Amino acid sequence: MRADERFVKTLKGEETDRMPVIENSMWWYKTLYRWEEEGMPFKIKDYQGTMQEVAAIQEYFGLDVLVHWWIRPYTEASPQPKGFGCDRGVRDEESYEKLRATLFPELKMDKEFIDWVKKRKSKGDIVLEFIMNGPFWEPRDYMGIEEHLYAFYDQPDLYKRMVSEMMEWQKKVVEYAMNTLPFDYVTVAEDMSYNNGPLLSKEHFDEFMAPYYKEMVPFINSFGLPVLVDSDGDIKEPISWFNKVGVAGYHPLEAQAGCDVNEFAKRYPDTAFIGNFDKMIMHKGEAALRKEFERLKPCINRGKYIVSVDHQTPPSVSIEDYRLFVKLLKEYAKRGK
């Protein structure tokens, strides 16, 4: 069975020869540095993070290849973010206008990437993901964490304007992308939850985020693709919010935040899930790994679920630890065993 066909059928809960064997979130750089020292034949100091390089590392470990194209609204003229990966200085309408003048480029994929994907897709040996930032993530990157959360109360009209203009740009890029390459699914990046649950109320979700999804999800579905949401942290409560606006699945399901895919699958049997393998036990040997796989086995056999590290593999994991993880991942990917 083709890798892309297997992946899509698994998300739908349809019969496949086995579960996909993937790495949903790429590895921490410090992990790659360690693995290079331990014999991985890639010069990480020269690593550019291209999808071709990502694919090469996945193939080195014997994984199914999963690559993506992640769109962001910034240009070289956009101010660099301050703080922890966000805050480009938006505080009011005036400062947004200044940022907006640098946003929303006419994005095009590199021809080399297009040709490479088409060649691999002709064989069916890669899964192709389209990623875009959502109505929680992107305003946070404009405003910074604290100002962003205040904006729900203090500047609701500005918030809605930012989301609306982002969405109109995204639609153009989605249409271009779907007419250029055969993507398999779309992820909307949100990171709207942490270890104690969502960072906004359902009322705020309904007012500020739901309108975006009610328009964007059907637009993406019109190209035949499901929409998944990527959020860190505890997403037990928001799953029901997103399901009502058409979202089909979720990842990475962080175990440290109390996420349990078995619980989620019982509550939401029509929903797809990726992740939830506890990264904090990956260096503790075969017995610990098997115990974790056994925990996830009911969902593996159920379908509509793909095991993956619950976020990025940490540098505590040696190259031999990871090889063992992949070996067992392949073993448990055979459903019903």
Side-chain angles (χ1 to χ4, degrees), residues 141-161:
D141 277 11
Y142 293 175
M143 308 182 83
I145 293 173
E146 186 172 344
E147 294 288 340
H148 168 234
L149 295 176
Y150 276 120
F152 291 115
Y153 299 91
D154 297 340
Q155 301 186 81
D157 292 340
L158 173 59
Y159 198 103
K160 292 172 184 177
R161 178 191 171 193

Side-chain angles (χ1 to χ4, degrees), residues 22 30 55 90 101 134 140 149 208 210 235 258 299 317 320 328-329:
I22 63 160
K30 288 184 178 180
V90 173
R140 181 197 60 192
L149 295 176
F208 293 94
I235 62 167
C299 279
V317 179
E320 290 305 319
L328 295 179
L329 178 60

Side-chain angles (χ1 to χ4, degrees), residues 7 24 26 66-70 113 127-131 182-188 228 230 251:
F7 186 93
N24 185 62
M26 301 306 106
L66 169 63
V67 296
H68 65 251
W69 192 51
W70 191 335
F113 176 70
V127 180
L128 186 59
E129 175 188 25
F130 182 95
I131 307 177
F183 286 88
D184 296 302
Y185 70 111
V186 172
T187 288
V188 180
L228 278 64
D230 174 350
H251 56 84

Side-chain angles (χ1 to χ4, degrees), residues 9 37 57 78 112 188 190 193 206 214 225 230 243:
K9 282 181 173 291
E37 292 176 356
I57 295 174
S78 301
E112 182 180 351
V188 180
E190 289 294 17
S193 292
D206 289 343
K214 288 178 180 178
L225 302 184
D230 174 350
N243 279 2

Side-chain angles (χ1 to χ4, degrees), residues 5-129:
E5 179 185 8
R6 180 186 300 115
F7 186 93
V8 171
K9 282 181 173 291
T10 299
L11 291 186
K12 292 179 178 179
E14 297 176 1
E15 189 69 27
T16 62
D17 56 342
R18 62 169 170 83
M19 181 185 71
V21 176
I22 63 160
E23 187 60 80
N24 185 62
S25 299
M26 301 306 106
W27 315 271
W28 289 0
Y29 279 96
K30 288 184 178 180
T31 307
L32 295 178
Y33 291 145
R34 173 174 181 169
W35 291 350
E36 182 185 14
E37 292 176 356
E38 295 175 339
M40 185 175 68
F42 300 99
K43 294 183 178 181
I44 303 305
K45 64 181 179 180
D46 298 326
Y47 180 73
Q48 300 297 312
T50 68
M51 289 300 100
Q52 291 91 327
E53 290 171 315
V54 167
I57 295 174
Q58 291 175 339
E59 290 174 316
Y60 172 73
F61 285 108
L63 294 161
D64 296 340
V65 175
L66 169 63
V67 296
H68 65 251
W69 192 51
W70 191 335
I71 66 165
R72 298 173 176 87
Y74 305 107
T75 67
E76 292 183 358
S78 301
Q80 291 299 305
K82 300 176 182 177
F84 185 63
C86 54
D87 190 359
R88 296 175 192 264
V90 173
R91 297 293 181 267
D92 49 29
E93 292 274 356
E94 182 179 358
S95 52
Y96 172 62
E97 288 287 353
K98 290 180 180 179
L99 176 64
R100 190 188 184 286
T102 74
L103 300 179
F104 309 135
E106 184 181 359
L107 288 183
K108 298 293 182 183
M109 299 177 212
D110 179 82
K111 184 179 184 302
E112 182 180 351
F113 176 70
I114 294 174
D115 292 343
W116 177 78
V117 169
K118 286 183 175 179
K119 181 178 180 180
R120 298 297 299 261
K121 270 292 190 176
S122 68
K123 305 174 185 176
D125 66 352
I126 65 170
V127 180
L128 186 59
E129 175 188 25

Side-chain angles (χ1 to χ4, degrees), residues 96-266:
Y96 172 62
E97 288 287 353
K98 290 180 180 179
L99 176 64
R100 190 188 184 286
T102 74
L103 300 179
F104 309 135
E106 184 181 359
L107 288 183
K108 298 293 182 183
M109 299 177 212
D110 179 82
K111 184 179 184 302
E112 182 180 351
F113 176 70
I114 294 174
D115 292 343
W116 177 78
V117 169
K118 286 183 175 179
K119 181 178 180 180
R120 298 297 299 261
K121 270 292 190 176
S122 68
K123 305 174 185 176
D125 66 352
I126 65 170
V127 180
L128 186 59
E129 175 188 25
F130 182 95
I131 307 177
M132 59 189 188
N133 298 339
F136 188 89
W137 180 305
E138 202 63 77
R140 181 197 60 192
D141 277 11
Y142 293 175
M143 308 182 83
I145 293 173
E146 186 172 344
E147 294 288 340
H148 168 234
L149 295 176
Y150 276 120
F152 291 115
Y153 299 91
D154 297 340
Q155 301 186 81
D157 292 340
L158 173 59
Y159 198 103
K160 292 172 184 177
R161 178 191 171 193
M162 292 189 297
V163 171
S164 176
E165 292 179 350
M166 174 193 74
M167 180 174 64
E168 291 309 310
W169 172 77
Q170 287 178 338
K171 282 184 175 181
K172 295 175 184 177
V173 183
V174 167
E175 188 167 17
Y176 156 74
M178 301 310 155
N179 288 318
T180 302
L181 288 176
F183 286 88
D184 296 302
Y185 70 111
V186 172
T187 288
V188 180
E190 289 294 17
D191 283 6
M192 57 171 277
S193 292
Y194 285 86
N195 63 324
N196 291 316
L199 292 172
L200 77 169
S201 67
K202 184 179 184 301
E203 290 73 20
H204 281 136
F205 177 90
D206 289 343
E207 181 177 356
F208 293 94
M209 297 179 63
Y212 168 92
Y213 282 94
K214 288 178 180 178
E215 187 169 343
M216 183 61 79
V217 171
F219 179 73
I220 293 169
N221 291 163
S222 72
F223 294 96
L225 302 184
V227 176
L228 278 64
V229 163
D230 174 350
S231 178
D232 297 348
D234 179 358
I235 62 167
K236 287 192 289 290
E237 187 176 358
I239 289 175
S240 64
W241 308 350
F242 282 109
N243 279 2
K244 290 178 181 177
V245 292
V247 172
Y250 306 88
H251 56 84
L253 314 181
E254 291 186 312
Q256 302 306 305
C259 292
D260 181 354
V261 71
N262 294 298
E263 175 192 341
F264 293 170
K266 290 177 183 177

